[in-house]
């Protein structure tokens, strides 16, 4: 399925293309047709699934198609309410990008900052307003905003809204909306409180459920290298030189980061190319073709650029930077281990990235095995590993004595740096002789016990 099959109008298609999207994500594929028919939608999906485009594209299309000359300043036709400032900004950016050839104007309002710039934007007139609940009610109260002309309403991350205590604000906002409107309601979970809130907002909605991709994480061998930001380039070169991989996809968080990694690799004599949003479509295609036909062994990519990359013989994924959205980790490692192949993924983690690691492990319900002996081990890694292992130890104490847990002696050996890459604590082979040890699939990762609620 490609975007042009979804009956999206040309100015929006052009913007999607410019973003480098080739294929709709599952939630987009399911929701866009429903929303273009002006049906209400109850979406069970979380951030990272592409849900923003799933609702932004149809709303932009409706506003574009509805357009009649307006007297005076623009009226607000679409309202998106979301719990946090970060999400609000992200959604605003998405509307700006997908709508850049439509002439549709949007703005974002949120609390915790002075209101001057926000009220000025509102006074100039907007078609789409993205807001957090408190500031929205505040500016409605001050007379800067009227919800009278809203035709499209989105309540985003509803469960988070309730967790944050916004229920009364939400109710007040809903009471102010015109009865005749299209409503969209998104939540990652659907407890009864959410279902009852959805019932108040939606008519007879179509439902779309997208589960986070989890299964791939179970097929792929994963390992974790604690390393400082500064030493990451050296560790990457070391791994690519010592391990025998045919094709490696390296992920960085930023475009600039991708270029830097490529430069470092080239300096070390490793042929590598980057693909990201700042490269022309032609340059990206060329790099991808080189990677697919094997003339480039290492491709360095940002997440957006890597979407839709389908390389069948990918042997290794390297998370040079850990993603801040845990689902992205699953997307990334899902690039290897396709079909029946057992792929491998290694992740670099510096101290700042520990919270991301925590979120990832929670999502995949696995503890990624830490590679405790490598030449670029992060200072103070012992305490990080100990912290990492604490819950494991507690769990293991409660279970049987049969354990794959590293012995105390192997743990204490971490404090001394070593020039071998005996990667798994359960392995004593050196990198060259046992070059595939870290790629030994699932034995390197331990399943987390399921939470009761899951
Ligand atoms: P969201 O769940 O809306 O926060 O989107 C997650 C990420 O996926 C964002 O960085 C989007 O820019 C990106 N994205 C959304 N749709 C697509 C698509 N069809 N192809 C590639 N990337 C996408």
């Amino acid at each position: 399925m490609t975007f042009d099959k979804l009956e999206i109008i040309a100015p929006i298609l052009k913007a999607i293309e410019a973003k480098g999207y080739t294929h709709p994500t599952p939630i987009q594929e399911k929701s866009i047709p429903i929303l273009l028919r002006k049906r209400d939608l109850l979406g069970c999906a979380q951030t990272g699934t592409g849900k923003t485009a799933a609702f932004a594209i149809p709303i932009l299309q409706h506003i574009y198609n509805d357009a009649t000359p307006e007297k005076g300043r623009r009226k607000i036709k679409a309202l998106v309410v979301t719990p946090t400032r970060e999400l609000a900004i992200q959604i605003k950016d998405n509307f700006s990008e997908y709508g850049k050839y439509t002439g549709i104007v949007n703005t974002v309002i949120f609390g915790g900052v002075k209101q001057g710039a926000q009220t000025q934007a509102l006074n100039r007139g907007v078609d789409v307003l993205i807001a957090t609940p408190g500031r929205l009610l505040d500016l409605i109260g001050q007379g800067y905003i009227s919800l009278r002309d809203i035709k499209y309403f989105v309540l985003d991350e509803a469960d988070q809204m309730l967790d944050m205590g916004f229920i009364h604000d939400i109710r007040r906002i809903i009471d102010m909306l015109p009865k005749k409107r299209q409503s969209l309601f998104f939540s990652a979970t659907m407890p009864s409180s959410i279902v009852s809130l959805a019932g108040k907002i939606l008519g007879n909605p179509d439902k779309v459920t997208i589960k986070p991709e989890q299964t791939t994480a179970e097929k792929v061998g994963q390992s974790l290298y604690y390393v400082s930001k500064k030493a990451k380039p050296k560790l990457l070169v070391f791994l690519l030189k010592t391990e025998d991989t045919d094709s490696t996809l390296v992920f960085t968080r930023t475009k600039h980061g991708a270029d830097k990694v490529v430069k470092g690799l080239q300096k070390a004599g490793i042929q590598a190319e980057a693909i990201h949003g700042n490269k022309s479509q032609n340059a990206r295609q060329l790099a991808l073709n080189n990677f697919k036909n094997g003339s480039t062994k290492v491709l360095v990519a940002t997440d957006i650029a890597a979407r839709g990359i389908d390389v069948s013989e990918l042997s290794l994924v390297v998370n040079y930077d850990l993603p801040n959205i845990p689902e992205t980790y699953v997307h990334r490692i899902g690039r290897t281990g396709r079909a029946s192949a057992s792929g491998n993924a290694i992740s670099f983690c510096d101290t700042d990235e520990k919270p991301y690691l925590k979120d990832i492990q929670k999502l995949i319900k696995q503890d990624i095995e830490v590679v405790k002996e490598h030449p670029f081990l992060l200072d103070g890694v012992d305490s990080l590993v100990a912290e990492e292992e604490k819950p494991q130890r507690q769990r293991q104490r409660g279970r049987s004595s049969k354990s794959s847990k590293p012995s105390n002696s192997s743990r204490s050996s971490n404090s001394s740096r070593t020039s071998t890459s005996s990667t798994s604590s359960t392995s004593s082979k050196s990198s060259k002789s046992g070059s595939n040890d870290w790629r030994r699939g699932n034995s390197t990762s331990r399943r987390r016990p399921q939470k009761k609620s899951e």
Side-chain angles (χ1 to χ4, degrees), residues 3 19 21 23-25 28 47-52 90 304 307:
F3 274 107
K19 279 283 280 177
Y21 300 173
H23 297 80
T25 64
Q28 292 161 6
T47 301
T49 53
K51 82 173 145 71
T52 316
Q90 209 171 293
I304 305 279
R307 291 250 180 159

Side-chain angles (χ1 to χ4, degrees), residues 284-326:
R284 278 199 250 175
Q285 201 51 52
L286 190 66
L288 194 55
N289 290 346
N290 288 342
F291 188 56
K292 280 183 173 171
N293 68 28
S295 56
T296 298
K297 299 273 184 247
V298 184
L299 191 66
V300 185
T302 55
D303 292 298
I304 305 279
R307 291 250 180 159
I309 292 183
D310 194 9
V311 182
S312 50
E313 296 296 315
L314 190 58
S315 45
L316 174 65
V317 164
V318 177
N319 293 304
Y320 187 89
D321 298 314
L322 278 184
N324 51 354
I325 299 170

Side-chain angles (χ1 to χ4, degrees), residues 220-245:
V220 177
Q222 300 160 67
S223 47
L224 183 80
Y225 287 68
Y226 281 114
V227 57
S228 71
K229 208 172 179 176
K230 206 169 144 215
K232 281 184 179 184
K234 290 187 207 135
L235 177 59
L236 183 62
V237 169
F238 171 79
L239 288 173
L240 291 173
K241 286 200 166 168
T242 50
E243 305 298 344
D244 180 24
T245 66

